[in-house]
Amino acid sequence: MAWQPEQEPLRQLSGCLRDSLSGHNKAAQKQAEIMLAQAKSSPDINNYLTYLFSSSQAPPGLSYTPEEYHAVRSAAAVMLKNNIRTGYKTIPQDSLTLVRSSVPLALQDKNPLIRSYAGNVITEIVSRGGILGWPQLLPELLALIGNDSGAVTPEAQEGAMAALAKVCEDNKKILDKEYGGQRPLAFIIPKLISFTTNEKPKIRSLALGSINVFIPQKPQALLVSLDALLNCLFQLANDPSSDVRRQVCRAFVQIVEIRPDKILPHIEGLVEYMIAQQRKIEDEELACDAAEFWLTVGEHGELWKSLAPYLHKIIPVLLESMVYSEEDIAMLEGGLNDADEEDRAEDIKPKFAKSKSARTLTNGDEEDGADQNGNYQKLNGMEDELSDGEIEEFDDDDDANPEDRWNLRKCSAAALDVFASDFKAPVFETILPYLMTNLKHEEWPYREAAVLALGAVAEGCIDVVTPHLPELVPYLISLLNDSEPLVRQITCWTLGRYSSWGASLNSPALRAQYFEPMMEGILTKMLDQNKRVQEAGASAFAHLEEKAGASITPYCEPIIRQFVQCFEKYKDRNMFILYDCVQTLAEHVGHGLAQPQLIDLLMPALIHRWHKVSDQSRELFPLLECLSYVASALAESFAPFAQPVFARCIQIIHQNLEEYLASVHNPILDSPDKDFLVTSLDLLSAIIQALEEKQSTELVSGSQPRLFELLQFCIEDPENDVRQSSYALLGDCAKYVFPELKPFLGTLLPLLIQQLDLDAILDEQIETGFSVINNACWSAGEIAIQYGKGMEPYVPQLLERYLAILGNPEVPKSVLENAAIALGRLGLENSDIMAPHLSTFSEPFLKCINSVDYTLEKATAFKGFCLAILRNPQAMEKDLARFFTAVSRYKLEEAFKTPLTADLQQIFQHTINLYKSLVPDFGVFISNQISGPDANNLRTIYNL
């Protein structure tokens, strides 16, 4: 017999569900939440939730108003979805059967929110249980949308289409897998294409939106239907629904990425189409999706050239779109002199720690993580993660500040920037008449847009703009005093974009005429009366510091005086960018900052902030990060400030680890923010590197709790960022305070070896996973140098791990280089254990070490490698040519600078002499094995 609810539990549960959404009665709401948490453990809970959610009328015996019963159903759907998400495997089979048979009924509900909730529950079941867990679902949904029976209501068609769209979005990969020789997408894609002709605009736009979800993955089912899809896009291009046209624009943008050859024949028509859609400014989302087309084509390696004949048509539209809309002006105009007002909590952007500690490239370069679009800030995956039904009621994003979101204006500016990089001079020539007219326009929105355009072309058109800069820069500096804050704000940004020109002026007269006023102008705006102008000034100044590099050193005193005033005046939000200014100065001026008068200005301001910020504040992240750079720049001059800073970092790490362990044992407690760990570990690294050995040793030995006991927990943390910073600190401790580290290596080295397992990297975290392995290799190499013979018990396992890394084609170059260095260094004191395995690692070692610059790291690795060769020269038979080529090209300057590798040339000589005695006709052998110039080098340097 079918399951039936009991009256009393149904009444209690529905009451709790209603109260859980009661915003007015907080006590009832809290009580309801406790009761619902307890109800979760009842075996029938999901049956009751399903029954309430799928019953369109209140069941007999429950007396609720329609509004109250809607709240009951909504809360039941959310709880059901969450139960499926967190405990799918524990739900009894008969409960799941009931859910699967009942929830689709809610797709036919008259209320669109209830239909949306049904879609959320359905997609959750598919995500957890897979396609085969509910094989009849997709055919049922497709039949409902297509109205196969002829009796499906319009609501049910829309509900089923919305549910299918969610299933597609959340299950892209599993829909393209084979089940019994068939892929679900093979029949879903043609159906979706046919649904784009449905008479209902909502179904047309959802069907096309679902197709758009799959385009980037390039599934076979879509590629074979691509021509049909293109025909359908041309049919829908002038659809009366702007939602449909938005999806048309998105589809063309995505096809550019996967099959540009399909776009090229239609480029002229597409240019006209996108221009027409972008001009529909009454629908900004549509206009913005059209503008994305220019951005995507402009960034495409080949396709950008096809736009050349149409620049004169496209660029005017981009310029029109860069003027603030009337709505934006109403919201932003005449921004207040609000510098003295406190920030609201929601104004303060969360700042996520970026780990400075990646020992990324062994050549000392840092990988550039700069925003591809300059400063236009589009985040990837900007679609909201939350399911529709759960957010629609509370979505008040319409009031968001237009400056804080990706919009038509920013997208157009970014496209102009990309065009400037693609086409150079023709872009500037096209915008020059516009600039002449608008830079001095009486109405500020036009002045502002012209300054934005000038900034957007800064990088791509610098050569053609340069002759105009002696005239333009003084005018821009004058605009820093414009009465409209938005003009002052954009002028800061544009001047920042041209700061590389100012910084490159090499005569004192020119610097005094242009660079110094530019620097002074931006610095002054850091103390503007408007907070957003302050922020733009600080951001532009950080950019200027980067471009000017060490040449900014003579100006440090006035710069720091201004920073100190900013520390006194800034509210919380702008403090974040101020730290960035300080750390960028420290990074580029380096030890030039370590002058007593500069330290006496800067450090009291930082220490005052240090005392003010609590251990729980997110402001601690940028502050700790900033102090890391300052400590590195001041080196031993940081000594007077080191002890309290070091002790607090230890305390923060200890507290965070304790909170984390507590949350593991008690699910009710929140897990702490791991950024506190990352930034504290990085600052400890910076301090240990900066100070003299004696003081670093005192700090480490005196730490309470003991640093290396905490580090052991950090090295085992589940978060990649935490482990990445932990291994950076471990390597620094090996370099600078080895006697303190040594007693803990028996515990730490087995954990490090475990970390070097490539199989442990999760696919979805591959990039950060490699960064952890990179730092683990680097720290293992530093330990090998210091520990010497103590590494003996670990050599076989390390060798096995390094070989797996060096032999894997997926591993990034920097990781290969660090692994090769670490492997070579093992031979310094353990060549006897390495030598029998030489034939297995000689080729991968020589290949991977080849790209490393001739640094001390390379010298130590090569010395260890040669010591292994000397113990087993026959093992090198197949790799001798590679080895002699490397030796002949080796630049020894760095090796001579340190006692550890000062004898590298003699070891090379000794190795060559050994082969001279082993290989008959060695001279002939060399001539046959390696190139002429390399053989000549070898003969000259090593007296062959």
Side-chain angles (χ1 to χ4, degrees):
M1 187 180 131
W3 178 87
Q4 288 297 320
E6 292 177 27
Q7 192 61 36
E8 185 52 25
L10 189 68
R11 189 188 62 74
Q12 285 186 355
L13 178 65
S14 62
C16 286
L17 290 167
R18 178 198 58 194
D19 291 346
S20 72
L21 292 182
S22 164
H24 309 300
N25 188 338
K26 291 294 177 201
Q29 188 175 16
K30 192 73 201 152
Q31 184 58 31
E33 284 168 4
I34 294 166
M35 299 282 286
L36 290 173
Q38 290 167 349
K40 260 188 170 178
S41 55
S42 155
D44 273 359
I45 179 68
N46 295 307
N47 295 12
Y48 279 96
L49 292 170
T50 302
Y51 180 77
L52 284 167
F53 172 56
S54 55
S55 305
S56 57
Q57 301 296 320
L62 300 184
S63 51
Y64 292 118
T65 66
E67 289 74 21
E68 286 175 325
Y69 188 57
H70 174 70
V72 170
R73 294 180 74 191
S74 301
V78 172
M79 188 171 176
L80 179 60
K81 178 193 161 180
N82 290 337
N83 288 354
I84 292 165
R85 184 169 64 218
T86 54
Y88 181 81
K89 289 190 167 65
T90 61
I91 298 175
Q93 213 43 53
D94 53 354
S95 280
L96 282 173
T97 305
L98 180 73
V99 174
R100 290 192 201 109
S101 62
S102 307
V103 169
L105 298 173
L107 291 175
Q108 311 181 28
D109 202 274
K110 291 275 183 265
N111 187 312
L113 264 178
I114 295 294
R115 299 200 296 271
S116 181
Y117 283 129
N120 294 344
V121 175
I122 287 168
T123 187
E124 201 60 62
I125 296 172
V126 177
S127 298
R128 303 295 148 190
I131 298 293
L132 298 180
W134 193 352
Q136 65 277 36
L137 171 72
L138 291 172
E140 275 179 22
L141 289 178
L142 293 168
L144 281 173
I145 303 163
N147 192 5
D148 293 2
S149 68
V152 182
T153 65
E155 289 87 359
Q157 279 183 278
E158 277 189 20
M161 185 64 242
L164 179 62
K166 283 176 184 158
V167 170
C168 290
E169 191 170 358
D170 294 347
N171 303 280
K172 296 191 277 279
K173 287 198 168 123
I174 63 172
L175 289 171
D176 196 29
K177 280 190 175 157
E178 275 202 12
Y179 304 91
Q182 293 218 314
R183 291 174 193 262
L185 275 194
F187 67 88
I188 291 177
I189 296 271
K191 284 282 190 187
L192 287 173
I193 290 176
S194 73
F195 295 152
T196 61
T197 59
N198 190 288
E199 62 196 24
K200 289 194 162 9
K202 178 99 181 181
I203 290 178
R204 295 199 298 277
S205 83
L206 281 169
L208 192 45
S210 301
I211 294 169
N212 283 341
V213 161
F214 296 109
I215 295 177
Q217 275 176 247
K218 300 190 273 196
Q220 194 53 36
L222 189 128
L223 294 177
V224 298
S225 305
L226 201 53
D227 288 333
L229 174 60
L230 281 166
N231 284 337
C232 137
L233 292 176
F234 292 126
Q235 297 295 318
L236 295 171
N238 293 310
D239 196 279
S241 158
S242 64
D243 280 346
V244 174
R245 295 200 305 281
R246 225 171 72 212
Q247 296 297 349
V248 169
C249 292
R250 285 183 187 178
F252 281 125
V253 166
Q254 307 230 52
I255 294 169
V256 167
E257 306 268 15
I258 65 155
R259 285 295 301 273
D261 56 307
K262 294 282 186 187
I263 295 292
L264 193 57
H266 306 288
I267 199 76
E268 185 175 1
L270 281 169
V271 167
E272 298 294 345
Y273 179 69
M274 294 298 173
I275 285 174
Q277 300 311 307
Q278 188 171 340
R279 284 200 156 126
K280 295 192 189 305
I281 49 171
E282 68 282 358
D283 183 343
E284 193 187 348
E285 270 194 79
L286 169 62
C288 195
D289 279 317
E292 290 275 357
F293 183 76
W294 316 125
L295 200 48
T296 309
V297 175
E299 285 175 341
H300 190 275
E302 285 300 313
L303 205 55
W304 64 270
K305 297 170 191 160
S306 65
L307 294 180
Y310 313 108
L311 283 183
H312 66 287
K313 289 183 172 180
I314 301 167
I315 289 176
V317 184
L318 295 179
L319 295 171
E320 281 167 31
S321 303
M322 282 156 60
V323 182
Y324 276 113
S325 70
E326 285 177 18
E327 292 81 2
D328 290 347
I329 291 170
M331 203 181 287
L332 294 167
E333 188 169 26
L336 310 169
N337 289 343
D338 58 358
D340 297 324
E341 290 174 19
E342 294 302 325
D343 291 327
R344 301 176 305 165
E346 59 269 32
D347 290 336
I348 301 166
K349 291 178 190 165
K351 162 98 175 180
F352 302 105
K354 54 180 192 293
S355 179
K356 158 188 178 238
S357 57
R359 303 292 188 256
T360 324
L361 304 176
T362 48
N363 298 341
D365 301 328
E366 277 187 33
E367 290 187 300
D368 182 15
D371 185 340
Q372 288 294 299
N373 294 332
N375 194 27
Y376 312 103
Q377 310 149 330
K378 182 180 186 187
L379 304 174
N380 288 334
M382 291 202 55
E383 276 70 31
D384 206 304
E385 291 288 321
L386 289 162
S387 305
D388 299 4
E390 285 163 59
I391 194 168
E392 279 175 355
E393 293 167 284
F394 315 108
D395 191 0
D396 58 356
D397 195 41
D398 292 345
D399 299 334
N401 189 310
E403 291 295 272
D404 294 336
R405 59 185 165 81
W406 183 247
N407 53 24
L408 175 61
R409 166 189 157 76
K410 286 183 181 177
C411 185
S412 301
L416 185 61
D417 184 353
V418 168
F419 282 1
S421 299
D422 288 340
F423 299 104
K424 309 275 189 290
V427 171
F428 186 64
E429 284 154 17
T430 310
I431 70 165
L432 191 55
Y434 169 86
L435 293 176
M436 304 298 278
T437 310
N438 288 284
L439 274 172
K440 298 188 177 180
H441 201 289
E442 282 178 17
E443 292 180 42
W444 73 260
Y446 295 96
R447 271 200 312 282
E448 196 277 346
V451 176
L452 171 59
L454 182 58
V457 302
E459 287 176 14
C461 294
I462 189 68
D463 293 341
V464 272
V465 181
T466 296
H468 302 273
L469 287 177
E471 190 184 338
L472 283 170
V473 165
Y475 177 65
L476 287 173
I477 292 170
S478 76
L479 283 182
L480 290 172
N481 298 314
D482 196 281
S483 60
E484 174 51 52
L486 288 165
V487 176
R488 303 200 295 275
Q489 182 181 326
I490 201 64
T491 305
C492 288
W493 178 75
T494 295
L495 278 171
R497 301 263 292 174
Y498 285 104
S499 56
S500 54
W501 170 77
S504 68
L505 298 169
N506 40 26
S507 82
L510 285 173
R511 286 176 81 80
Q513 191 178 353
Y514 298 110
F515 180 63
E516 289 171 17
M518 178 188 259
M519 182 167 60
E520 195 182 336
I522 297 173
L523 258 183
T524 306
K525 287 301 105 185
M526 286 179 69
L527 281 171
D528 194 270
Q529 284 306 302
N530 178 281
K531 283 195 252 186
R532 283 191 176 268
V533 179
Q534 290 175 358
E535 183 184 12
S539 180
F541 199 78
H543 197 75
L544 180 142
E545 289 172 323
E546 228 164 80
K547 299 297 179 195
S551 73
I552 207 168
T553 308
Y555 308 104
C556 274
E557 191 168 328
I559 290 171
I560 291 172
R561 283 188 191 285
Q562 188 77 337
F563 287 175
V564 169
Q565 279 189 270
C566 293
F567 272 116
E568 289 165 10
K569 180 163 184 174
Y570 276 10
K571 302 305 174 197
D572 293 343
R573 174 186 163 118
N574 284 346
M575 205 55 82
F576 287 55
I577 186 86
L578 180 56
Y579 290 127
D580 193 43
C581 286
V582 175
Q583 78 182 42
T584 308
L585 185 70
E587 184 182 2
H588 292 282
V589 170
H591 207 55
L593 212 55
Q595 298 169 36
Q597 78 278 18
L598 299 180
I599 295 171
D600 292 346
L601 276 172
L602 177 63
M603 288 312 294
L606 284 173
I607 298 299
H608 173 73
R609 207 65 206 168
W610 169 261
H611 288 308
K612 191 176 174 190
V613 175
S614 79
D615 285 357
Q616 287 72 43
S617 166
R618 298 181 68 85
E619 191 188 321
L620 209 51
F621 310 150
L623 174 53
L624 293 173
E625 197 179 321
C626 174
L627 280 169
S628 298
Y629 282 91
V630 171
S632 302
L634 297 188
E636 59 278 4
S637 301
F638 191 74
F641 315 100
Q643 200 285 323
V645 173
F646 198 93
R648 186 174 179 189
C649 286
I650 293 285
Q651 213 38 58
I652 292 167
I653 292 169
H654 183 222
Q655 186 183 336
N656 195 282
L657 290 172
E658 286 202 319
E659 287 173 10
Y660 172 64
L661 286 174
S663 74
V664 169
H665 297 304
N666 185 352
I668 292 174
L669 296 174
D670 288 336
S671 187
D673 193 327
K674 296 293 179 68
D675 284 350
F676 288 106
L677 278 185
V678 173
T679 44
S680 298
L681 290 163
D682 289 350
L683 181 47
L684 291 179
S685 273
I687 292 172
I688 287 169
Q689 289 176 67
L691 303 182
E692 289 170 348
E693 188 180 328
K694 180 172 175 294
Q695 197 186 357
S696 289
T697 302
E698 283 169 11
L699 289 175
V700 172
S701 63
S703 68
Q704 277 304 326
R706 291 159 82 182
L707 169 61
F708 296 114
E709 287 172 359
L710 297 176
L711 191 58
Q712 179 189 332
F713 284 102
C714 296
I715 274 173
E716 295 186 272
D717 193 274
E719 293 288 326
N720 284 344
D721 288 346
V722 176
R723 294 202 308 284
Q724 182 180 329
S725 290
S726 303
Y727 282 109
L729 177 57
L730 179 64
D732 285 329
C733 289
K735 268 177 103 159
Y736 300 105
V737 291
F738 185 74
E740 297 303 314
L741 169 62
K742 189 175 174 182
F744 297 89
L745 285 173
T747 312
L748 292 169
L749 274 170
L751 294 174
L752 188 153
I753 291 166
Q754 213 175 311
Q755 182 62 69
L756 294 174
D757 181 5
L758 288 176
D759 293 338
I761 297 184
L762 301 172
D763 279 356
E764 61 274 20
Q765 298 176 355
I766 197 148
E767 212 169 297
T768 54
F770 278 133
S771 296
V772 178
I773 288 191
N774 186 66
N775 282 10
C777 287
W778 176 80
S779 61
E782 293 301 329
I783 293 168
I785 287 222
Q786 304 291 342
Y787 205 17
K789 227 24 196 160
M791 295 296 283
E792 187 173 338
Y794 308 104
V795 170
Q797 282 176 285
L798 281 168
L799 203 49
E800 189 186 326
R801 292 283 199 239
Y802 294 148
L803 273 170
I805 292 169
L806 296 179
N808 189 317
E810 303 292 310
V811 175
K813 176 170 165 258
S814 64
V815 184
L816 294 174
E817 292 178 347
N818 273 319
I821 289 166
L823 184 149
R825 286 175 165 186
L826 281 180
L828 290 168
E829 299 283 342
N830 295 285
S831 55
D832 50 334
I833 311 174
M834 304 275 286
H837 308 283
L838 184 59
S839 62
T840 62
F841 68 77
S842 57
E843 183 184 349
F845 171 82
L846 287 166
K847 278 182 175 171
C848 295
I849 202 84
N850 185 43
S851 57
V852 178
D853 280 353
Y854 294 95
T855 53
L856 172 64
E857 280 93 345
K858 185 164 183 163
T860 51
F862 248 106
K863 178 175 172 178
F865 181 65
C866 288
L867 294 176
I869 293 177
L870 291 171
R871 286 181 176 270
N872 186 5
Q874 285 81 1
M876 287 292 291
E877 191 178 347
K878 65 181 185 355
D879 290 311
L880 275 180
R882 203 184 296 278
F883 173 67
F884 286 129
T885 301
V887 171
S888 77
R889 295 176 182 178
Y890 203 98
K891 298 185 176 74
L892 286 152
E893 296 82 349
E894 282 300 312
F896 292 140
K897 290 180 184 172
T898 172
L900 179 61
T901 54
D903 57 351
L904 184 61
Q905 188 165 3
Q906 286 97 299
I907 291 173
F908 281 162
Q909 183 75 61
H910 187 29
T911 313
I912 290 167
N913 290 346
L914 177 63
Y915 280 114
K916 247 160 96 174
S917 66
L918 289 173
V919 178
D921 296 330
F922 186 68
V924 176
F925 170 81
I926 285 295
S927 300
N928 292 339
Q929 291 291 315
I930 66 177
S931 75
D934 289 332
N936 289 337
N937 261 356
L938 217 52
R939 290 192 186 95
T940 310
I941 302 167
Y942 298 101
N943 310 314
L944 294 185

